[in-house]
Amino acid sequence: MSDFLNAYSIQRWLELCPQGYLEDTVYGHGATEHEPEPLVEDETLREEAIRSTVQLVVGERAALAASSGLVNAAPDYPSKRFLATQTLDEARHVEIFTQRLYDLGVKKDDLESTIDHFANPNLVKFAEVLLEKVDNKDFVAGVVGQNIVLEGMAFTVFEMMEAGNRQANPKFAHTLAGTIADERRHVGFGENRIGSLIKQYPEKKPEIEQMQKEMAYHMLNTFSSSFRQGSAAMDAAQSMAAQSDGAGEGAEWQGVNMATAGPEELQGALENTVINEFKTRLARIGLEYQAPVMS
Ligand SMILES: [Fe+2]
Ligand SMILES: [Fe+2]
């Protein structure tokens, strides 16, 4: 338990995060970095960037609601303190991705209507499955839903987007890099804290596996509908990369060339990576991945 205490203490969080990789950042990126001009000026690119950023805000709002709700559901103080740091991380993620919407030209008065307009309904359902557990103060299911399923997904999507934006949009790539570091810590907590609780309460397994199955169902529908709309986060970065000199030299992610890959190739790589991530992490806490039946 003492390693656990040190690894997830507020002191450690201060050293790693605000005094570490976030030092000198402004809304998660370098003070002089801006969104690239074509992204703000080309209406199609701008709308794609707004649409994909809205999904990040929706996901992070759910993570904020879940992690703050879990503070009061947690059975022990080390978990409460860690979840308090996570609550601030998630609030920061909401803030920096909301700031990106403003940077892309969304007016402050139009924020909520823009989010309502672009939010993927499947992602909203995904969040509802998790928040129901949190509202019922179900700590074990809540942590599996938040720190394994939601964050396993977020982490992978952020890594894909970071690779796609590294050359075309360093400002956004840097914003993502800080959130990836945060999510890595959150996922680690989920695994470390929950494994022992699942052993303690094996009777909870079927209900938790059912939740995971439902969340995976809504997640896969989120992916397929957003790739179908052609609004994968990659599109804006890819089209920009194609216009710039660096075309064809995109970063590699999971064996995919991010500058040249088509939507189907990217969707396949994303689904495989997230599901493998779930399988590995669930197995570590004594659960088996439940594949949803897709209609
Ligand atoms: Fe987050
Ligand atoms: Fe997180």
Side-chain angles (χ1 to χ4, degrees), residues 121-155:
N122 299 293
L123 184 59
V124 174
K125 286 184 202 149
F126 171 91
E128 282 168 359
V129 175
L130 165 64
L131 293 177
E132 193 191 307
K133 301 293 182 193
V134 176
D135 286 345
N136 291 337
K137 297 226 182 305
D138 186 338
F139 182 69
V140 184
V143 172
V144 175
Q146 160 73 22
N147 295 60
I148 308 278
V149 182
L150 186 152
E151 306 200 288
M153 173 186 79
F155 184 78

mmCIF file of all heavy atoms in Angstrom, residues 121-155:
data_model
loop_
_atom_site.group_PDB
_atom_site.id
_atom_site.type_symbol
_atom_site.label_atom_id
_atom_site.label_comp_id
_atom_site.label_asym_id
_atom_site.label_seq_id
_atom_site.Cartn_x
_atom_site.Cartn_y
_atom_site.Cartn_z
ATOM 1 N N PRO A 121 -24.245 11.432 -30.783
ATOM 2 C CA PRO A 121 -25.219 10.848 -29.853
ATOM 3 C C PRO A 121 -24.754 9.510 -29.256
ATOM 4 O O PRO A 121 -25.121 9.173 -28.125
ATOM 5 C CB PRO A 121 -26.484 10.650 -30.690
ATOM 6 C CG PRO A 121 -26.168 11.084 -32.074
ATOM 7 C CD PRO A 121 -24.809 11.686 -32.121
ATOM 8 N N ASN A 122 -23.940 8.767 -30.000
ATOM 9 C CA ASN A 122 -23.423 7.495 -29.463
ATOM 10 C C ASN A 122 -22.452 7.740 -28.313
ATOM 11 O O ASN A 122 -22.403 6.975 -27.349
ATOM 12 C CB ASN A 122 -22.720 6.702 -30.564
ATOM 13 C CG ASN A 122 -23.665 6.352 -31.693
ATOM 14 O OD1 ASN A 122 -24.587 5.575 -31.513
ATOM 15 N ND2 ASN A 122 -23.455 6.964 -32.851
ATOM 16 N N LEU A 123 -21.693 8.808 -28.413
ATOM 17 C CA LEU A 123 -20.755 9.151 -27.345
ATOM 18 C C LEU A 123 -21.517 9.609 -26.104
ATOM 19 O O LEU A 123 -21.117 9.314 -24.970
ATOM 20 C CB LEU A 123 -19.790 10.245 -27.840
ATOM 21 C CG LEU A 123 -18.675 10.660 -26.880
ATOM 22 C CD1 LEU A 123 -17.781 9.470 -26.523
ATOM 23 C CD2 LEU A 123 -17.841 11.785 -27.487
ATOM 24 N N VAL A 124 -22.624 10.309 -26.319
ATOM 25 C CA VAL A 124 -23.464 10.742 -25.202
ATOM 26 C C VAL A 124 -24.018 9.513 -24.467
ATOM 27 O O VAL A 124 -24.000 9.445 -23.237
ATOM 28 C CB VAL A 124 -24.600 11.671 -25.712
ATOM 29 C CG1 VAL A 124 -25.585 12.011 -24.594
ATOM 30 C CG2 VAL A 124 -24.006 12.959 -26.311
ATOM 31 N N LYS A 125 -24.454 8.490 -25.230
ATOM 32 C CA LYS A 125 -24.968 7.257 -24.601
ATOM 33 C C LYS A 125 -23.863 6.521 -23.845
ATOM 34 O O LYS A 125 -24.077 5.982 -22.763
ATOM 35 C CB LYS A 125 -25.557 6.321 -25.664
ATOM 36 C CG LYS A 125 -26.895 6.786 -26.182
ATOM 37 C CD LYS A 125 -27.464 5.747 -27.156
ATOM 38 C CE LYS A 125 -28.480 6.401 -28.077
ATOM 39 N NZ LYS A 125 -28.523 5.768 -29.398
ATOM 40 N N PHE A 126 -22.674 6.480 -24.431
ATOM 41 C CA PHE A 126 -21.502 5.868 -23.801
ATOM 42 C C PHE A 126 -21.302 6.480 -22.410
ATOM 43 O O PHE A 126 -21.128 5.773 -21.413
ATOM 44 C CB PHE A 126 -20.293 6.124 -24.717
ATOM 45 C CG PHE A 126 -18.951 5.754 -24.157
ATOM 46 C CD1 PHE A 126 -18.428 4.483 -24.361
ATOM 47 C CD2 PHE A 126 -18.184 6.687 -23.478
ATOM 48 C CE1 PHE A 126 -17.169 4.143 -23.875
ATOM 49 C CE2 PHE A 126 -16.923 6.354 -22.989
ATOM 50 C CZ PHE A 126 -16.415 5.085 -23.187
ATOM 51 N N ALA A 127 -21.363 7.815 -22.350
ATOM 52 C CA ALA A 127 -21.149 8.515 -21.072
ATOM 53 C C ALA A 127 -22.278 8.214 -20.093
ATOM 54 O O ALA A 127 -22.044 8.066 -18.889
ATOM 55 C CB ALA A 127 -21.045 10.020 -21.327
ATOM 56 N N GLU A 128 -23.508 8.100 -20.592
ATOM 57 C CA GLU A 128 -24.652 7.859 -19.703
ATOM 58 C C GLU A 128 -24.541 6.521 -18.983
ATOM 59 O O GLU A 128 -24.893 6.409 -17.808
ATOM 60 C CB GLU A 128 -25.968 7.910 -20.496
ATOM 61 C CG GLU A 128 -26.395 9.346 -20.780
ATOM 62 C CD GLU A 128 -27.532 9.466 -21.802
ATOM 63 O OE1 GLU A 128 -28.003 8.421 -22.330
ATOM 64 O OE2 GLU A 128 -27.929 10.605 -22.077
ATOM 65 N N VAL A 129 -24.025 5.496 -19.681
ATOM 66 C CA VAL A 129 -23.875 4.172 -19.047
ATOM 67 C C VAL A 129 -22.937 4.282 -17.839
ATOM 68 O O VAL A 129 -23.207 3.762 -16.756
ATOM 69 C CB VAL A 129 -23.339 3.130 -20.059
ATOM 70 C CG1 VAL A 129 -23.072 1.790 -19.379
ATOM 71 C CG2 VAL A 129 -24.303 2.951 -21.228
ATOM 72 N N LEU A 130 -21.846 5.010 -18.035
ATOM 73 C CA LEU A 130 -20.877 5.192 -16.946
ATOM 74 C C LEU A 130 -21.472 6.025 -15.811
ATOM 75 O O LEU A 130 -21.365 5.667 -14.631
ATOM 76 C CB LEU A 130 -19.621 5.871 -17.505
ATOM 77 C CG LEU A 130 -18.667 6.467 -16.468
ATOM 78 C CD1 LEU A 130 -18.072 5.378 -15.580
ATOM 79 C CD2 LEU A 130 -17.560 7.252 -17.157
ATOM 80 N N LEU A 131 -22.115 7.142 -16.154
ATOM 81 C CA LEU A 131 -22.558 8.079 -15.113
ATOM 82 C C LEU A 131 -23.685 7.506 -14.264
ATOM 83 O O LEU A 131 -23.844 7.886 -13.103
ATOM 84 C CB LEU A 131 -22.928 9.431 -15.731
ATOM 85 C CG LEU A 131 -21.695 10.160 -16.309
ATOM 86 C CD1 LEU A 131 -22.092 11.467 -16.982
ATOM 87 C CD2 LEU A 131 -20.628 10.426 -15.236
ATOM 88 N N GLU A 132 -24.407 6.534 -14.818
ATOM 89 C CA GLU A 132 -25.429 5.868 -14.012
ATOM 90 C C GLU A 132 -24.776 5.107 -12.848
ATOM 91 O O GLU A 132 -25.251 5.140 -11.718
ATOM 92 C CB GLU A 132 -26.222 4.907 -14.903
ATOM 93 C CG GLU A 132 -27.492 4.395 -14.253
ATOM 94 C CD GLU A 132 -28.099 3.246 -15.051
ATOM 95 O OE1 GLU A 132 -28.310 3.418 -16.267
ATOM 96 O OE2 GLU A 132 -28.318 2.178 -14.440
ATOM 97 N N LYS A 133 -23.651 4.439 -13.127
ATOM 98 C CA LYS A 133 -22.931 3.720 -12.062
ATOM 99 C C LYS A 133 -22.405 4.706 -11.022
ATOM 100 O O LYS A 133 -22.452 4.447 -9.823
ATOM 101 C CB LYS A 133 -21.745 2.932 -12.637
ATOM 102 C CG LYS A 133 -22.132 1.898 -13.683
ATOM 103 C CD LYS A 133 -22.937 0.774 -13.087
ATOM 104 C CE LYS A 133 -23.271 -0.276 -14.132
ATOM 105 N NZ LYS A 133 -24.300 -1.205 -13.661
ATOM 106 N N VAL A 134 -21.872 5.816 -11.510
ATOM 107 C CA VAL A 134 -21.313 6.816 -10.594
ATOM 108 C C VAL A 134 -22.421 7.398 -9.723
ATOM 109 O O VAL A 134 -22.259 7.540 -8.509
ATOM 110 C CB VAL A 134 -20.593 7.932 -11.377
ATOM 111 C CG1 VAL A 134 -20.096 9.034 -10.441
ATOM 112 C CG2 VAL A 134 -19.426 7.345 -12.180
ATOM 113 N N ASP A 135 -23.577 7.707 -10.344
ATOM 114 C CA ASP A 135 -24.699 8.262 -9.581
ATOM 115 C C ASP A 135 -25.173 7.295 -8.503
ATOM 116 O O ASP A 135 -25.636 7.709 -7.454
ATOM 117 C CB ASP A 135 -25.875 8.596 -10.511
ATOM 118 C CG ASP A 135 -25.588 9.851 -11.330
ATOM 119 O OD1 ASP A 135 -24.639 10.591 -10.977
ATOM 120 O OD2 ASP A 135 -26.279 10.082 -12.342
ATOM 121 N N ASN A 136 -25.036 5.991 -8.764
ATOM 122 C CA ASN A 136 -25.422 4.988 -7.760
ATOM 123 C C ASN A 136 -24.311 4.742 -6.743
ATOM 124 O O ASN A 136 -24.400 3.818 -5.956
ATOM 125 C CB ASN A 136 -25.779 3.668 -8.448
ATOM 126 C CG ASN A 136 -27.068 3.788 -9.240
ATOM 127 O OD1 ASN A 136 -27.894 4.655 -8.961
ATOM 128 N ND2 ASN A 136 -27.227 2.945 -10.257
ATOM 129 N N LYS A 137 -23.260 5.540 -6.793
ATOM 130 C CA LYS A 137 -22.108 5.411 -5.888
ATOM 131 C C LYS A 137 -21.487 4.013 -5.942
ATOM 132 O O LYS A 137 -21.012 3.475 -4.943
ATOM 133 C CB LYS A 137 -22.497 5.743 -4.441
ATOM 134 C CG LYS A 137 -22.950 7.185 -4.233
ATOM 135 C CD LYS A 137 -22.266 7.765 -3.001
ATOM 136 C CE LYS A 137 -22.676 9.192 -2.678
ATOM 137 N NZ LYS A 137 -22.500 10.131 -3.777
ATOM 138 N N ASP A 138 -21.530 3.406 -7.124
ATOM 139 C CA ASP A 138 -20.936 2.077 -7.321
ATOM 140 C C ASP A 138 -19.463 2.282 -7.679
ATOM 141 O O ASP A 138 -19.112 2.498 -8.843
ATOM 142 C CB ASP A 138 -21.696 1.365 -8.451
ATOM 143 C CG ASP A 138 -21.235 -0.079 -8.630
ATOM 144 O OD1 ASP A 138 -20.102 -0.414 -8.208
ATOM 145 O OD2 ASP A 138 -22.009 -0.867 -9.202
ATOM 146 N N PHE A 139 -18.599 2.239 -6.675
ATOM 147 C CA PHE A 139 -17.200 2.596 -6.853
ATOM 148 C C PHE A 139 -16.478 1.649 -7.807
ATOM 149 O O PHE A 139 -15.772 2.088 -8.715
ATOM 150 C CB PHE A 139 -16.485 2.601 -5.489
ATOM 151 C CG PHE A 139 -15.034 3.009 -5.582
ATOM 152 C CD1 PHE A 139 -14.687 4.309 -5.894
ATOM 153 C CD2 PHE A 139 -14.015 2.084 -5.351
ATOM 154 C CE1 PHE A 139 -13.353 4.691 -5.983
ATOM 155 C CE2 PHE A 139 -12.679 2.461 -5.438
ATOM 156 C CZ PHE A 139 -12.341 3.769 -5.754
ATOM 157 N N VAL A 140 -16.672 0.341 -7.620
ATOM 158 C CA VAL A 140 -15.923 -0.623 -8.432
ATOM 159 C C VAL A 140 -16.317 -0.501 -9.909
ATOM 160 O O VAL A 140 -15.468 -0.349 -10.785
ATOM 161 C CB VAL A 140 -16.116 -2.067 -7.912
ATOM 162 C CG1 VAL A 140 -15.262 -3.047 -8.704
ATOM 163 C CG2 VAL A 140 -15.759 -2.153 -6.432
ATOM 164 N N ALA A 141 -17.624 -0.505 -10.178
ATOM 165 C CA ALA A 141 -18.073 -0.373 -11.574
ATOM 166 C C ALA A 141 -17.673 0.991 -12.122
ATOM 167 O O ALA A 141 -17.239 1.113 -13.276
ATOM 168 C CB ALA A 141 -19.585 -0.558 -11.664
ATOM 169 N N GLY A 142 -17.793 2.032 -11.310
ATOM 170 C CA GLY A 142 -17.455 3.384 -11.753
ATOM 171 C C GLY A 142 -15.997 3.501 -12.163
ATOM 172 O O GLY A 142 -15.672 4.103 -13.190
ATOM 173 N N VAL A 143 -15.099 2.905 -11.368
ATOM 174 C CA VAL A 143 -13.675 3.000 -11.701
ATOM 175 C C VAL A 143 -13.354 2.165 -12.948
ATOM 176 O O VAL A 143 -12.568 2.596 -13.798
ATOM 177 C CB VAL A 143 -12.778 2.609 -10.498
ATOM 178 C CG1 VAL A 143 -11.315 2.518 -10.910
ATOM 179 C CG2 VAL A 143 -12.923 3.627 -9.382
ATOM 180 N N VAL A 144 -13.986 0.999 -13.076
ATOM 181 C CA VAL A 144 -13.745 0.211 -14.298
ATOM 182 C C VAL A 144 -14.242 0.999 -15.515
ATOM 183 O O VAL A 144 -13.550 1.127 -16.524
ATOM 184 C CB VAL A 144 -14.418 -1.185 -14.231
ATOM 185 C CG1 VAL A 144 -14.263 -1.923 -15.559
ATOM 186 C CG2 VAL A 144 -13.816 -2.020 -13.092
ATOM 187 N N GLY A 145 -15.450 1.575 -15.397
ATOM 188 C CA GLY A 145 -16.028 2.329 -16.515
ATOM 189 C C GLY A 145 -15.222 3.567 -16.858
ATOM 190 O O GLY A 145 -15.003 3.884 -18.026
ATOM 191 N N GLN A 146 -14.771 4.269 -15.830
ATOM 192 C CA GLN A 146 -14.011 5.512 -16.058
ATOM 193 C C GLN A 146 -12.548 5.221 -16.390
ATOM 194 O O GLN A 146 -12.048 5.586 -17.443
ATOM 195 C CB GLN A 146 -14.123 6.388 -14.789
ATOM 196 C CG GLN A 146 -13.055 7.460 -14.631
ATOM 197 C CD GLN A 146 -13.239 8.624 -15.583
ATOM 198 O OE1 GLN A 146 -14.334 8.874 -16.083
ATOM 199 N NE2 GLN A 146 -12.166 9.327 -15.874
ATOM 200 N N ASN A 147 -11.838 4.567 -15.427
ATOM 201 C CA ASN A 147 -10.375 4.493 -15.540
ATOM 202 C C ASN A 147 -9.880 3.385 -16.453
ATOM 203 O O ASN A 147 -8.702 3.367 -16.795
ATOM 204 C CB ASN A 147 -9.739 4.357 -14.146
ATOM 205 C CG ASN A 147 -9.970 5.588 -13.286
ATOM 206 O OD1 ASN A 147 -11.119 5.926 -13.031
ATOM 207 N ND2 ASN A 147 -8.925 6.259 -12.855
ATOM 208 N N ILE A 148 -10.753 2.457 -16.825
ATOM 209 C CA ILE A 148 -10.313 1.441 -17.786
ATOM 210 C C ILE A 148 -10.980 1.679 -19.138
ATOM 211 O O ILE A 148 -10.298 1.811 -20.160
ATOM 212 C CB ILE A 148 -10.639 0.003 -17.293
ATOM 213 C CG1 ILE A 148 -10.108 -0.248 -15.875
ATOM 214 C CG2 ILE A 148 -10.144 -1.044 -18.300
ATOM 215 C CD1 ILE A 148 -8.663 -0.614 -15.734
ATOM 216 N N VAL A 149 -12.325 1.779 -19.149
ATOM 217 C CA VAL A 149 -13.018 1.833 -20.449
ATOM 218 C C VAL A 149 -12.940 3.243 -21.053
ATOM 219 O O VAL A 149 -12.388 3.421 -22.144
ATOM 220 C CB VAL A 149 -14.480 1.335 -20.338
ATOM 221 C CG1 VAL A 149 -15.151 1.359 -21.707
ATOM 222 C CG2 VAL A 149 -14.531 -0.077 -19.747
ATOM 223 N N LEU A 150 -13.473 4.243 -20.345
ATOM 224 C CA LEU A 150 -13.460 5.600 -20.930
ATOM 225 C C LEU A 150 -12.025 6.052 -21.204
ATOM 226 O O LEU A 150 -11.704 6.556 -22.280
ATOM 227 C CB LEU A 150 -14.165 6.594 -20.008
ATOM 228 C CG LEU A 150 -14.339 8.015 -20.573
ATOM 229 C CD1 LEU A 150 -15.571 8.699 -19.980
ATOM 230 C CD2 LEU A 150 -13.147 8.931 -20.358
ATOM 231 N N GLU A 151 -11.142 5.870 -20.223
ATOM 232 C CA GLU A 151 -9.794 6.399 -20.400
ATOM 233 C C GLU A 151 -8.946 5.533 -21.325
ATOM 234 O O GLU A 151 -8.072 6.055 -22.016
ATOM 235 C CB GLU A 151 -9.136 6.596 -19.037
ATOM 236 C CG GLU A 151 -10.051 7.450 -18.191
ATOM 237 C CD GLU A 151 -9.395 8.126 -17.027
ATOM 238 O OE1 GLU A 151 -9.060 7.405 -16.078
ATOM 239 O OE2 GLU A 151 -9.244 9.341 -17.062
ATOM 240 N N GLY A 152 -9.213 4.222 -21.356
ATOM 241 C CA GLY A 152 -8.519 3.377 -22.330
ATOM 242 C C GLY A 152 -8.855 3.846 -23.740
ATOM 243 O O GLY A 152 -8.000 3.895 -24.628
ATOM 244 N N MET A 153 -10.124 4.235 -23.946
ATOM 245 C CA MET A 153 -10.534 4.753 -25.246
ATOM 246 C C MET A 153 -9.904 6.134 -25.494
ATOM 247 O O MET A 153 -9.296 6.365 -26.547
ATOM 248 C CB MET A 153 -12.070 4.874 -25.307
ATOM 249 C CG MET A 153 -12.543 5.563 -26.560
ATOM 250 S SD MET A 153 -14.332 5.882 -26.601
ATOM 251 C CE MET A 153 -14.454 7.345 -25.568
ATOM 252 N N ALA A 154 -10.039 7.038 -24.521
ATOM 253 C CA ALA A 154 -9.561 8.414 -24.697
ATOM 254 C C ALA A 154 -8.061 8.426 -25.003
ATOM 255 O O ALA A 154 -7.596 9.092 -25.935
ATOM 256 C CB ALA A 154 -9.851 9.233 -23.437
ATOM 257 N N PHE A 155 -7.336 7.677 -24.206
ATOM 258 C CA PHE A 155 -5.904 7.556 -24.328
ATOM 259 C C PHE A 155 -5.492 7.175 -25.767
ATOM 260 O O PHE A 155 -4.624 7.801 -26.380
ATOM 261 C CB PHE A 155 -5.543 6.423 -23.361
ATOM 262 C CG PHE A 155 -4.112 6.131 -23.214
ATOM 263 C CD1 PHE A 155 -3.336 6.946 -22.426
ATOM 264 C CD2 PHE A 155 -3.544 5.019 -23.828
ATOM 265 C CE1 PHE A 155 -1.994 6.660 -22.259
ATOM 266 C CE2 PHE A 155 -2.212 4.737 -23.666
ATOM 267 C CZ PHE A 155 -1.435 5.568 -22.872
#
